[in-house]
Amino acid sequence: MNILSPSILAADFAILGKQINEVHEAGAQYLHIDVMDGIFVPQISFGMPVITSLRKSSDMFFDVHIMIDRPERYAAEFVDCGADMVTFHLEATEQVVETIGIIRAKGAKVGISIKPGTPVADVVPYLPLVDMVLIMTVEPGYGGQSYIPYCTDKVKEVRRAITEQGLTCDVQVDGGIGTDNLQMVLEAGANMIVAGSAVFKNNITENVTNMLKIMGEK
Ligand code: DX5
Ligand code: ZN
């Protein structure tokens, strides 16, 4: 099954609840929530209080992408405030296995992410321990950037490694994805699609519907 996970970073925060209902009603299965700390990435987005509020008004699957330094410090708290899956960055910690353990112990799914410049080989040893691997297709930190073409080969490479090891991890892509390159990333082996601008710019319902059609989910 292919999953669409709209990134609320591109939403209008003044009417966030309304826009989340709209992506949900249009058929998006997950909600991608980007947490930025101003250290691991240059920008600061939002944190726990926002997720706690959203949890009260939405039963969507919360796919929380934490772009924060030393994620082991906060991983448990993100599950407590409503994350169904927590994805942290391999580059952000020396305690990769410990961080996976913290998230698992809380009963949430675990995602691990690599930036465009990080080789797939670095994440391969952790594949048996995680539910999902996120291949960043832009430099993390901002929405609205252009897809980095060489990342397609990384998606292929990680999918090959998952298959070779007989695993069932999901492969997520995040950054610069829209109707123009969606088919290409699906063919490369991605099955979880994050999209910010491509969902929240102009007509949300139409955007979600068009993307789900390409994904064979509508
Ligand atoms: C970037 C974030 C992305 C971002 C994607 O650091 O992780 O989730 O919101 O935005 P678009 O789809 O606009 O590139
Ligand atoms: Zn993200």
Side-chain angles (χ1 to χ4, degrees):
M1 180 175 150
N2 292 322
I3 285 171
L4 180 62
S5 192
S7 165
I8 60 168
L9 197 60
D12 179 349
F13 291 125
I15 49 166
L16 185 53
K18 184 173 167 282
Q19 295 200 331
I20 290 173
N21 285 339
E22 192 170 348
V23 295
H24 186 44
E25 275 166 27
Q29 306 97 326
Y30 284 13
L31 195 68
H32 188 82
I33 300 177
D34 286 304
V35 178
M36 302 179 179
D37 70 349
I39 296 171
F40 180 70
V41 290
Q43 276 286 353
I44 298 175
S45 57
F46 47 74
M48 289 85 171
V50 172
I51 301 173
T52 303
S53 286
L54 295 179
R55 185 72 290 170
K56 288 183 194 143
S57 65
S58 172
D59 59 6
M60 283 182 85
F61 184 99
F62 282 7
D63 159 26
V64 178
H65 177 196
I66 54 172
M67 286 160 274
I68 66 175
D69 186 46
R70 287 173 292 143
E72 61 275 14
R73 296 174 297 154
Y74 296 111
E77 218 179 310
F78 280 108
V79 181
D80 287 339
C81 67
D84 294 296
M85 174 160 69
V86 177
T87 302
F88 67 96
H89 272 266
L90 178 67
E91 306 89 352
T93 180
E94 286 173 4
Q95 300 186 22
V96 176
V97 174
E98 291 83 349
T99 306
I100 293 169
I102 291 169
I103 301 166
R104 280 244 181 276
K106 279 281 174 183
K109 291 200 167 183
V110 182
I112 190 165
S113 180
I114 52 171
K115 300 201 278 186
T118 303
V120 167
D122 290 8
V123 85
V124 166
Y126 303 106
L127 293 177
L129 305 177
V130 300
D131 300 292
M132 183 272 271
V133 53
L134 163 56
I135 303 294
M136 287 303 300
T137 47
V138 299
E139 279 305 327
Y142 301 91
Q145 303 179 76
S146 298
Y147 181 89
I148 299 175
Y150 70 73
C151 293
T152 312
D153 281 341
K154 294 181 70 185
V155 174
K156 289 181 187 162
E157 193 182 340
V158 81
R159 178 55 79 190
R160 207 179 309 124
I162 290 166
T163 308
E164 276 169 12
Q165 293 189 44
L167 299 168
T168 56
C169 308
D170 292 301
V171 176
Q172 187 175 71
V173 284
D174 181 8
I177 312 285
T179 47
D180 54 328
N181 55 12
L182 181 49
Q183 188 66 44
M184 181 186 74
V185 292
L186 292 168
E187 278 167 15
N191 70 308
M192 273 188 191
I193 308 298
V194 177
S197 328
V199 165
F200 288 97
K201 266 200 187 151
N202 306 318
N203 189 314
I204 293 175
T205 302
E206 269 180 27
N207 293 338
V208 170
T209 305
N210 289 339
M211 292 190 80
L212 287 174
K213 275 186 188 154
I214 296 171
M215 294 165 69
E217 298 295 331
K218 198 109 189 172

